[in-house]
Amino acid sequence: MDTVLISEVGPRDGLQSVKATMATAHKHAWIDALAGAGLREIEVGSFVPAKLLPQMADIADVVRHAMTQPGITVMALVPNLRGAETAIVTGLHKITIPVSASEAHSLANVRKTCAQMLDEVRRIVDLRRAQAPQVLVEVGMSTAFGCTLQGAVPEDDVVRLAEALAEAGVDEIGLSDTTGMAQPAQVRRLFQRVRAAIGERTGAAHMHNTRGLGLANCLAAYDVGVRTFDSSQGGLGGCPYAPGASGNVVTEDLVFMFEAMGVHTGVDLEKLVAARTVLAAGLPGEPLYGMTPGAGLTKDFVYADGRTPLDTRLLSTSGACA
Ligand code: ZN
C-alpha cells in the first residue's frame, strides 16, 4: 500500500493569512481535532515578533500544547536565527524556514537577498547541530514556480538553491507555489530536476489553489515521487489575488483524492470533516473551502487500508446532477 504524509499547515499558513486572531484555547482545540483525525504532521504557527503577526503571539504556548498529542510531528515556521533560538527551547520536533527562489520576493518578504537567507539557514543548521540535534530542519522554497514581483523564476535558480540548501545540511527541501502560478507539467519537471540534484532530501509539495490547479499539481508531484503534501483544512487563508478562491490546497479534498486512489494517508475523513466545526467556532465568519465536505463521500467509498466509513451521514445522499 502506497503511503503519503499530509502535512497540515492551517494553524500557521491559514491563521496568519486571515485578519482575525484565533484565541489560544480555540487553537488548542483545533489542533487536537486535527491530530484526532489522524494528521501526523502539523505546522502549528510561526516564531515571529508579535508586533509583526499578532495572530502568532501565543506560538510557544500552542507548541507546548501540541506536544502533548502523542504521535504527531509538531512543526513551526522560523524566518531567522532568532526565531529558531526561541523555537528549539520549546522542544518542538521540526522547524521550517521559508527561503525564496526569487530575489524580489526574498527582499519583500524577509528583507534579505537569497544569498543572505542562505547564510541565515547555515547559522540555523549550526545552532541545531550544537543545541538540538534531534530537531529536523526543513526549507520550504517560496516562489519556486513563479513570482508576482519578479515574474518567471528560472528553473536553474531553483535547482541551484536546492543544492546549496542540501549542502548546508537542511534535511528536507520542499517546493512552494506561493503565488499560485504552477501548472502540472512544470511541477513534474521541476520536482524531477530537484530530485535528480538532491535525491531523498527532496521534500514537500506546497501547492496553492489560486487558479484551481491545487489538486492537479499535487497529483503531478505524486506521479514523480513526492510523498509529502502541505495543505490546510478548509483551504484556510484565502488568496488576496483571487477573491473567492482558496489559498492552500484543501486538506479534505486532498485526503479524499488519495484515499479514493488507494493511497494511504492515515486520515479519517469523517473526523476531519467534523474538525471543520471546531475551526469555524474559533474563526466565526471566515469562509471555509472544499468540495468533499459538501458533496460527501461516494456510496462505495473505501479507505486505502480497507476500512469503510462508520458515519453514514458523510455518505452522499444527493441524486444525479445534470
Ligand atoms: Zn501556503
Side-chain angles (χ1 to χ4, degrees):
M1 186 167 51
D2 206 355
T3 298
V4 293
L5 176 67
I6 308 292
S7 182
E8 170 64 43
V9 301
R12 197 279 300 171
D13 198 334
L15 289 186
Q16 79 174 41
S17 313
V18 296
K19 278 205 187 74
T21 297
M22 189 188 270
T24 308
H26 281 295
K27 288 187 186 179
H28 291 179
W30 184 30
I31 289 166
D32 290 350
L34 292 167
L39 287 155
R40 284 164 298 142
E41 181 170 285
I42 304 178
E43 191 174 330
V44 299
S46 306
F47 282 88
V48 288
K51 251 188 291 176
L52 291 180
L53 270 179
Q55 298 99 316
M56 296 291 144
D58 56 0
I59 176 63
D61 195 20
V62 172
V63 167
R64 271 185 219 103
H65 177 83
M67 294 292 290
T68 65
Q69 282 287 344
I72 68 165
T73 299
V74 177
M75 173 161 71
L77 182 142
V78 302
N80 49 34
L81 180 64
R82 203 191 173 124
E85 285 166 348
T86 319
I88 61 173
V89 172
T90 63
L92 85 180
H93 303 115
K94 187 169 173 180
I95 54 178
T96 182
I97 313 163
V99 178
S100 294
S102 142
E103 201 74 58
H105 184 265
S106 189
L107 287 167
N109 203 35
V110 290
R111 283 183 247 121
K112 287 190 179 81
T113 64
C114 297
Q116 286 168 333
M117 199 54 202
L118 187 56
D119 283 339
E120 193 77 6
V121 170
R122 291 194 184 102
R123 285 190 282 272
I124 294 172
V125 172
D126 285 345
L127 172 80
R128 182 270 296 268
R129 197 176 293 127
Q131 292 187 19
Q134 74 286 357
V135 172
L136 286 167
V137 177
E138 175 195 271
V139 162
M141 201 193 295
S142 316
T143 62
F145 300 93
C147 173
T148 43
L149 302 169
Q150 175 180 307
V153 174
E155 290 183 3
D156 287 350
D157 290 0
V158 173
V159 174
R160 253 197 310 270
L161 182 56
E163 283 171 334
L165 289 163
E167 219 162 276
V170 174
D171 301 304
E172 297 170 25
I173 297 131
L175 303 182
S176 301
D177 184 21
T178 315
T179 51
M181 295 163 79
Q183 41 85 0
Q186 177 193 23
V187 169
R188 236 175 249 127
R189 196 170 58 236
L190 199 51
F191 265 108
Q192 276 175 314
R193 286 197 58 187
V194 167
R195 185 173 297 280
I198 64 166
E200 288 313 299
R201 288 184 194 246
T202 309
H206 181 110
M207 296 301 169
H208 279 199
N209 207 31
T210 316
R211 292 180 174 80
L213 295 187
L215 285 182
N217 287 333
C218 286
L219 187 59
Y222 173 82
D223 284 343
V224 294
V226 173
R227 289 296 178 269
T228 305
F229 298 86
D230 293 355
S231 60
S232 83
Q233 174 146 60
L236 188 68
C239 174
Y241 310 104
S246 76
N248 292 293
V249 166
V250 177
T251 307
E252 295 88 324
D253 293 341
L254 186 64
V255 169
F256 177 76
M257 178 183 82
F258 280 127
E259 291 288 343
M261 286 169 63
V263 176
H264 183 61
T265 64
V267 180
D268 184 299
L269 270 166
E270 300 139 273
K271 289 181 183 163
L272 183 62
V273 170
R276 285 168 76 93
T277 312
V278 183
L279 165 57
L283 275 184
E286 194 64 41
L288 297 184
Y289 304 96
M291 311 298 273
T292 305
L297 300 175
T298 52
K299 278 203 172 68
D300 56 352
F301 181 82
V302 182
Y303 286 100
D305 64 4
R307 280 182 309 128
T308 49
L310 294 173
D311 185 348
T312 49
R313 279 173 303 177
L314 196 57
L315 292 175
S316 176
T317 49
S318 55
C321 295

